[in-house]
Amino acid sequence: MPTIQTIDINAWYGTKQALKNISLEIEEHSITAFIGPSGCGKSTFIRIFNRMNDYIEGFKMEGQVLIDRQDINAKEVRVEELRQRVGIVFQKPNPFPKSIFENVAYGLRIQGINDKKVLSEVVEKSLMRAALWDEVKDDLNHPALSLSGGQQQRLCIARTLAVEPKIILMDEPASALDPISTSKIEDLATELKENYTIIIVTHNMQQAARISDKTAFFYMGEMIEYDKTTDLFTNPRHERTENYITGRFG
């Protein structure tokens, strides 16, 4: 059973249509990559899964987004609860101006959890899952902003993991990072899919080829092709997909 399903998604910013008739299914415990040139709708699409587009003035959407068969735009859905289940990691690391510990504990404190023992256990577990614990375990009270860019991004992943999401959205999580940090984020995503469903927007086609199980190619608001990653890269069904992955445009 797919954990995510979209049915005929159309979206607009004002009068400009950003997404056109997109239907797909995403299996749990997988990594799905969204590729395509800038402005093709990838980030708009990934942000419908936790309703981040709700904040954008003039945004309008039609169609259905089902997570575990529940329509996430139904009136009874509480957006705060949805965002606990569907975490997001952005392109630029965005740690809070707090300590490393308080960054990871932040989501739990919002839920009213202040028990020191519980917080300490969750912070340690989340930092271990984000492959950061060994690097920061002696510096938990240091400012998060003192970490390197790659460490800050893994800290943001730990912060997301602390509230036990089911789905993790990654919107170009490595585009601002150096190759070594990028490799760590890719390794981490591969490990995390054992317990989470991951969707990643990336401009880096090699990255999509390395870590994703399925890939969707977007162009001018349309999803041109969606297939197993190995098939899409080695035997694309559409000429536009082939032209993009071979570098003829993009």
Side-chain angles (χ1 to χ4, degrees):
M1 186 186 90
T3 193
I4 299 173
Q5 186 177 13
T6 69
I7 303 164
D8 294 332
I9 296 295
N10 289 276
W12 295 263
Y13 295 111
T15 56
K16 182 178 182 294
Q17 189 162 3
L19 297 172
K20 301 170 186 171
N21 300 314
I22 297 180
S23 298
L24 59 66
E25 295 183 350
I26 293 174
E27 300 296 327
E28 65 178 354
H29 303 312
S30 64
I31 299 178
T32 302
F34 295 165
I35 63 169
S38 294
C40 67
K42 305 184 299 290
S43 288
T44 299
F45 191 55
I46 199 175
R47 289 167 187 233
I48 68 171
F49 297 122
N50 70 346
R51 292 181 49 180
M52 287 293 288
N53 295 319
D54 289 12
Y55 294 126
I56 299 170
E57 194 174 338
F59 180 81
K60 189 181 82 167
M61 189 194 92
E62 292 175 355
Q64 274 191 306
V65 183
L66 307 177
I67 294 181
D68 295 331
R69 295 186 179 169
Q70 180 186 38
D71 185 341
I72 66 167
N73 291 290
K75 282 182 182 167
E76 66 271 15
V77 171
R78 294 184 56 208
V79 176
E80 302 79 20
E81 290 176 3
L82 172 68
R83 289 188 185 140
Q84 280 176 28
R85 286 165 57 210
V86 187
I88 188 164
V89 177
F90 295 100
Q91 180 173 358
K92 195 165 179 278
N94 61 339
F96 303 134
K98 300 172 180 281
S99 69
I100 293 167
F101 183 95
E102 287 301 332
N103 263 270
V104 183
Y106 180 79
L108 297 173
R109 290 202 188 277
I110 282 182
Q111 293 173 28
I113 299 168
N114 288 300
D115 183 294
K116 271 190 177 172
K117 186 166 181 284
V118 172
L119 291 177
S120 294
E121 285 174 359
V122 172
V123 167
E124 179 176 345
K125 184 167 129 188
S126 302
L127 288 167
M128 287 181 82
R129 280 183 176 167
L132 190 58
W133 174 252
D134 288 342
E135 294 166 50
V136 302
K137 62 185 177 187
D138 299 322
D139 303 317
L140 295 179
N141 293 319
H142 287 203
L145 295 169
S146 66
L147 297 172
S148 71
Q151 289 174 320
Q152 286 185 20
Q153 193 64 300
R154 282 181 283 144
L155 179 68
C156 293
I157 292 170
R159 188 174 69 199
T160 299
L161 298 177
V163 295
E164 293 292 342
K166 181 177 176 125
I167 295 160
I168 302 173
L169 312 176
M170 295 184 166
D171 194 354
E172 297 203 46
S175 65
L177 304 180
D178 61 84
I180 291 171
S181 297
T182 296
S183 178
K184 286 184 176 177
I185 296 290
E186 290 180 8
D187 290 346
L188 178 56
T190 304
E191 287 172 28
L192 290 174
K193 81 170 181 179
E194 285 184 25
N195 297 300
Y196 307 91
T197 302
I198 296 172
I199 305 172
I200 183 167
V201 166
T202 179
H203 268 105
N204 184 331
M205 282 185 282
Q206 289 80 17
Q207 184 173 73
R210 280 193 296 266
I211 69 170
S212 68
D213 300 291
K214 280 190 158 185
T215 297
F217 168 57
F218 288 79
Y219 183 67
M220 295 182 71
E222 295 182 58
M223 186 176 71
I224 305 299
E225 189 162 347
Y226 177 50
D227 209 340
K228 286 181 181 172
T229 297
T230 47
D231 293 343
L232 186 136
F233 279 103
T234 58
N235 189 26
R237 296 192 306 271
H238 294 268
E239 187 180 357
R240 272 184 293 191
T241 313
E242 185 173 1
N243 288 344
Y244 182 70
I245 63 178
T246 55
R248 284 182 209 148
F249 78 91

